[in-house]
Amino acid sequence: MYAQLVKSEGAKSREEMTPEEIAFQERIDRGEKIEPKEWMPEGYRKTLIRQIGQHAHSEIVGQLPEGNWITRAPTLERKQILLAKVQDEAGHGLYLYSAAETLGVSRDELLAALHSGKMKYSSIFNYPTLNWADIGAVGWLVDGAAIMNQVPLQRTSFGPYSRAMIRICKEESFHQRQGYDIMMKMCAGTPEQKAMAQDALNRFWYPALMMFGPSDKDSVHSAQSMAWKIKINTNDELRQKFVDQTVPQARYLGLTVPDENLTWNEDKGGHDFSEPDWSEFFEVIAGNGPCNAERLNARVKAWDDGAWFREGLMAHAGKAEARRRAAQVAAE
Ligand SMILES: [Fe+2]
Ligand SMILES: [Fe+2]
């Protein structure tokens, strides 16, 4: 989902590359990982900072719609599960900010870019979670779509990013299952509970499809990102996989995917389905989704409220450094 805004020009041809760039591309083609201190083209560094940064922002902004329900979880067990899941997302943000920092950008810079609106996060988190069924739908569909996107990224060429993805994917599959488990419970409940589950599916289906980004034919195809193995699959490939995986799960729940055009296509071995409303997607990305302002305000407030703590840490680090220097001088 986090690759959805990463636009890029066509890949450079061999004739346009410098000898250094050719050697770099050959390393990637051989499946070698690129590590932070090694030479890399400036475009590779910049694209990765944008992609990993957006991904990190999505993890921490993604805590907000679910955090909203921790205090209202229906049982103690559900509360514990949701707490663990929301904490995992904070951890994902931290691994990813750390991975981005190895590329020469500070966490403060990345957060400043989020707060000013210069950097984006996944469009999905600008939709509200209205009731408990939405928490099920988010785990099932949103974390499900995230896994679809992130599993291939475990093979991405940048070492720290790929290693972060391996750990994140393990946790994401737990997130997806806890969401599906909530849906199973609701669908086996009263007719009203089942209707809530259906309503949540109706509202989250198309926003989940949007998470993979615009259609390949309409988007600037990121040939360069594919050549660099920063992006492994196209948006449409991932969306197709997601639909094919999710439709049988919806059937098992006894729910209806809100798409009249959904049919199995024997020839392609996958489902035909309706495209989401892309004008809605671009509106949300532009800042006009139902919760954009609320999400960003919550992040900015968290940053401002944490100022005293950051200042305290810096003051402590300063004193520790002064003590270390004084001890060094005394020892000489
Ligand atoms: Fe996550
Ligand atoms: Fe997750």
Side-chain angles (χ1 to χ4, degrees):
M1 78 179 94
Y2 315 107
Q4 71 190 5
L5 289 166
V6 178
K7 289 192 190 135
S8 144
E9 332 61 49
K12 264 193 186 178
S13 70
R14 228 181 144 82
E15 293 70 50
E16 297 169 305
M17 290 187 197
T18 64
E20 265 173 324
E21 286 171 338
I22 291 174
F24 179 82
Q25 187 61 51
E26 284 172 351
R27 290 190 60 200
I28 289 180
D29 295 344
R30 282 196 298 271
E32 284 178 31
K33 295 287 181 227
I34 308 301
E35 297 300 336
K37 297 235 159 65
E38 294 169 343
W39 186 85
M40 61 186 75
E42 218 22 55
Y44 178 84
R45 182 190 303 276
K46 282 200 179 129
T47 309
L48 269 176
I49 289 174
R50 195 168 38 176
Q51 182 171 328
I52 301 174
Q54 276 175 15
H55 192 163
H57 296 330
S58 300
E59 299 287 353
I60 63 165
V61 176
Q63 293 182 284
L64 299 169
E66 292 180 292
N68 188 34
W69 280 88
I70 291 172
T71 53
R72 288 173 285 170
T75 67
L76 180 59
E77 193 192 4
R78 291 287 179 199
K79 189 199 276 279
Q80 285 176 317
I81 294 169
L82 186 59
L83 257 178
K85 194 240 187 225
V86 173
Q87 284 178 340
D88 282 353
E89 306 299 6
H92 298 174
L94 292 182
Y95 313 150
L96 289 164
Y97 284 123
S98 300
E101 281 185 309
T102 69
L103 291 160
V105 63
S106 72
R107 195 175 305 183
D108 287 4
E109 287 172 290
L110 290 169
L111 287 169
L114 170 68
H115 298 157
S116 71
K118 208 177 130 209
M119 281 183 89
K120 303 291 182 193
Y121 53 87
S122 179
S123 54
I124 191 75
F125 302 119
N126 292 310
Y127 290 86
T129 44
L130 303 177
N131 58 50
W132 181 251
D134 286 11
I135 299 302
V138 166
W140 173 34
L141 301 172
V142 176
D143 291 87
I147 295 171
M148 230 16 120
N149 197 46
Q150 291 170 3
V151 163
L153 288 176
Q154 295 177 109
R155 291 180 284 116
T156 195
S157 61
F158 187 55
Y161 192 28
S162 109
R163 290 188 288 273
M165 279 301 125
I166 291 169
R167 180 156 175 187
I168 287 175
C169 283
K170 290 198 174 112
E171 294 175 345
E172 290 302 347
S173 59
F174 151 65
H175 297 173
Q176 200 262 355
R177 280 174 204 185
Q178 67 84 38
Y180 196 70
D181 191 59
I182 292 173
M183 295 305 269
M184 287 214 296
K185 195 87 183 165
M186 301 218 45
C187 289
T190 63
E192 288 80 3
Q193 285 171 318
K194 188 160 183 188
M196 281 172 73
Q198 179 65 56
D199 167 62
L201 171 59
N202 293 349
R203 281 180 292 107
F204 277 95
W205 176 253
Y206 288 103
L209 295 189
M210 291 177 202
M211 286 172 66
F212 299 98
S215 175
D216 300 338
K217 61 182 188 302
D218 301 327
S219 71
V220 186
H221 189 63
S222 42
Q224 183 63 74
S225 287
M226 303 273 276
W228 279 333
K229 293 191 191 155
I230 290 174
K231 199 176 157 97
I232 312 279
N233 301 95
T234 71
N235 298 347
D236 284 336
E237 279 167 12
L238 293 170
R239 189 167 16 249
Q240 181 71 51
K241 274 180 123 173
F242 175 76
V243 170
D244 293 339
Q245 176 188 281
T246 310
V247 166
Q249 295 173 348
R251 280 209 191 104
Y252 184 79
L253 292 170
L255 297 180
T256 309
V257 172
D259 180 0
E260 288 172 3
N261 298 319
L262 185 76
T263 48
W264 176 255
N265 181 331
E266 193 61 53
D267 293 340
K268 78 171 180 187
H271 293 83
D272 289 332
F273 57 93
S274 301
E275 292 266 317
D277 175 359
W278 290 113
S279 61
E280 178 182 320
F281 172 79
F282 289 111
E283 273 295 296
V284 175
I285 291 292
N288 304 319
C291 301
N292 292 61
E294 189 184 327
R295 301 293 184 239
L296 210 52
N297 288 344
R299 287 310 322 165
V300 171
K301 182 175 184 302
W303 175 259
D304 292 344
D305 288 352
W308 68 272
F309 187 67
R310 291 191 302 277
E311 283 158 17
L313 282 178
M314 292 308 286
H316 177 75
K319 280 183 190 166
E321 176 64 12
R323 272 197 300 274
R324 194 188 60 78
R325 283 219 190 109
Q328 209 171 28
V329 169
E332 275 163 8

